Amino acid sequence: MDKFRMIFQFLQSNQESFLNGMCGVLALASAHIYSAFDFNCPCLPGYNLFYGLGVMSVPPVVLFLLGFVLNNNVSVLMEEWRRPEGLRGKERGVLRYMCCSMAQRALIAPATWLSVTLLDGKCFICAFSEGLDPHILILNNSTILPAHSQLRSLLSTIPCPEAFQQEAGLSREAATRYLRCLSQAVGWCFILIMTFLAFLVRAMRPCFTQVAFLKTKYWSHYIDIERKLFEETCTEHAKSFAKVCIQQFFEGMQDEIVMSYSRYQPPLPHDTEVGKEQEKLLGITDSKNMNKLLRNWHKLKPPLNVKTGVKDDAEQNGCVYKCPQPHRENIVFYSKV
């Protein structure tokens, strides 16, 4: 259990590595799902195209959305996008950076599915078998082609060897090889394009202004860390608040307990322990003030300035706890990103 706990703590502290690992797992899972998927082409005119394209397009969309679902930054992005302006402005560049970062990771699994599907060729053969030129499949020049409706039905049975009529004078093996070669060519072109685009993203990034990139990256990490610390502080405050309320409840019931059981004297809580728990409450000792503080946190995010204006803004926003006095510093980095 200690090893699993250490691994979990490592993944929590290295969220970016964890997300990259999850994207890799999704990519491997998509390839494994396709290999285990029982692909059965309907081999009917008008159905092959929809079935083949559906297998090539629907699972990538599902994997793309699943990549967003497994990313914890989606809730951070939506919360930052939907929150009121308040005392802290919203920077569109940070939102774009977070969205692009999540989209890049979410595209790995769909790209893997499409690559494996095209290199395998089954879906491509099923989807485009009806569109083949029958003249390139004729075994000899004296073969008379059937009517259009019969020819379409015959071409639709190319993916199904048990349904294909060999006496029709068309080579099913030639059609299968031709479509598989096209599918693999499209697959390798797709892999080449995706690799080239990834190379351009990595190579061209230093050519642009690094200041804007560093600012957006820093503040996107700041939003995520601020949200986590706020949740941890709320959890600690709720725990202390519940503990103090329970202790006060038992202290209020002490007289009744003593009257009912005169021989029994319950141990009194230590004053030092109660004092420590009350210090963690930061002056917020009732539900009304706590709800007001949470509402102000959502509507009026505090400005990103740790040197001046913190106490005044807190008093204007109705914060009832005593804000800590800012330390004197010679250098302070301030930005409105």
Side-chain angles (χ1 to χ4, degrees):
M1 293 299 294
D2 294 336
K3 293 182 179 180
F4 288 106
R5 189 180 296 108
M6 292 175 60
I7 294 174
F8 182 72
Q9 291 176 355
F10 173 77
L11 293 177
Q12 280 187 330
S13 60
N14 297 272
Q15 187 178 10
E16 186 172 359
S17 300
F18 174 70
L19 293 177
N20 293 333
M22 288 298 298
C23 294
V25 170
L26 277 178
L28 294 177
S30 64
H32 181 72
I33 291 172
Y34 178 79
S35 61
F37 175 69
D38 188 11
F39 181 82
N40 293 315
C41 187
C43 295
L44 294 174
Y47 290 90
N48 290 6
L49 180 63
F50 293 103
Y51 183 76
L53 293 180
V55 174
M56 286 192 292
S57 60
V58 174
V61 175
V62 175
L63 292 171
F64 181 73
L65 296 177
L66 189 62
F68 275 96
V69 171
L70 295 178
N71 198 322
N72 295 328
N73 292 330
V74 174
S75 58
V76 180
L77 176 64
M78 295 304 298
E79 181 182 352
E80 182 67 17
W81 179 55
R82 294 291 300 172
R83 71 171 178 85
E85 194 77 16
L87 299 177
R88 183 191 303 177
K90 292 186 288 185
E91 179 63 33
R92 302 298 178 184
V94 177
L95 301 179
R96 288 194 298 267
Y97 173 80
M98 296 175 66
C99 184
C100 293
S101 179
M102 291 185 294
Q104 289 174 6
R105 292 187 175 96
L107 282 173
I108 296 177
T112 304
W113 177 276
L114 285 176
S115 302
V116 174
T117 304
L118 291 173
L119 292 178
D120 183 68
K122 294 180 182 178
C123 299
F124 195 91
I125 294 173
C126 179
F128 300 101
S129 60
E130 297 181 40
L132 276 177
D133 185 8
H135 294 87
I136 64 176
L137 307 177
I138 298 177
L139 295 176
N140 52 69
N141 296 328
S142 61
T143 303
I144 301 176
L145 295 176
H148 178 71
S149 59
Q150 297 179 355
L151 179 62
R152 186 181 179 187
S153 300
L154 180 64
L155 293 176
S156 64
T157 58
I158 289 177
C160 306
E162 65 279 358
F164 185 77
Q165 300 177 5
Q166 298 291 341
E167 62 273 8
L170 300 179
S171 174
R172 177 186 173 274
E173 184 67 22
T176 304
R177 287 176 178 271
Y178 176 73
L179 290 175
R180 182 173 286 110
C181 289
L182 288 179
S183 178
Q184 292 178 354
V186 174
W188 283 113
C189 291
F190 175 75
I191 294 174
L192 180 62
I193 292 173
M194 295 299 293
T195 306
F196 183 71
L197 290 177
F199 168 76
L200 284 181
V201 170
R202 290 288 186 179
M204 297 298 292
R205 181 178 293 177
C207 299
F208 297 96
T209 305
Q210 285 294 301
V211 176
F213 172 72
L214 291 176
K215 286 167 62 179
T216 53
K217 186 175 182 180
Y218 175 85
W219 290 115
S220 63
H221 289 311
Y222 173 84
I223 292 172
D224 187 22
I225 294 173
E226 183 189 52
R227 173 173 171 267
K228 292 179 180 179
L229 291 178
F230 183 78
E231 291 179 354
E232 293 176 1
T233 305
C234 288
T235 303
E236 187 68 23
H237 184 276
K239 182 179 179 181
S240 302
F241 188 80
K243 191 171 183 179
V244 173
C245 287
I246 292 172
Q247 290 175 349
Q248 291 178 355
F249 171 76
F250 280 102
E251 288 176 1
M253 295 293 293
Q254 180 181 2
D255 296 336
E256 297 181 8
I257 295 175
V258 172
M259 291 176 62
S260 302
Y261 303 96
S262 58
R263 296 182 179 179
Y264 175 69
Q265 295 291 339
L268 296 176
H270 297 287
D271 296 337
T272 57
E273 184 178 354
V274 176
K276 291 181 180 179
E277 296 298 333
Q278 289 181 348
E279 289 179 359
K280 295 179 182 179
L281 296 179
L282 300 176
I284 309 172
T285 56
D286 54 17
S287 59
K288 182 178 180 181
N289 289 329
M290 189 63 202
N291 292 332
K292 187 176 182 180
L293 183 138
L294 294 174
R295 184 173 62 253
N296 290 333
W297 175 261
H298 174 68
K299 294 183 177 180
L300 304 170
K301 285 288 184 71
L304 300 177
N305 187 353
V306 297
K307 184 178 181 180
T308 59
V310 177
K311 185 176 180 180
D312 297 335
D313 293 333
E315 292 177 355
Q316 292 177 3
N317 297 334
C319 297
V320 296
Y321 62 92
K322 295 181 180 180
C323 299
Q325 295 294 332
H327 298 283
R328 294 184 178 274
E329 296 180 359
N330 295 326
I331 300 176
V332 175
F333 176 76
Y334 175 72
S335 176
K336 291 185 178 180
V337 177

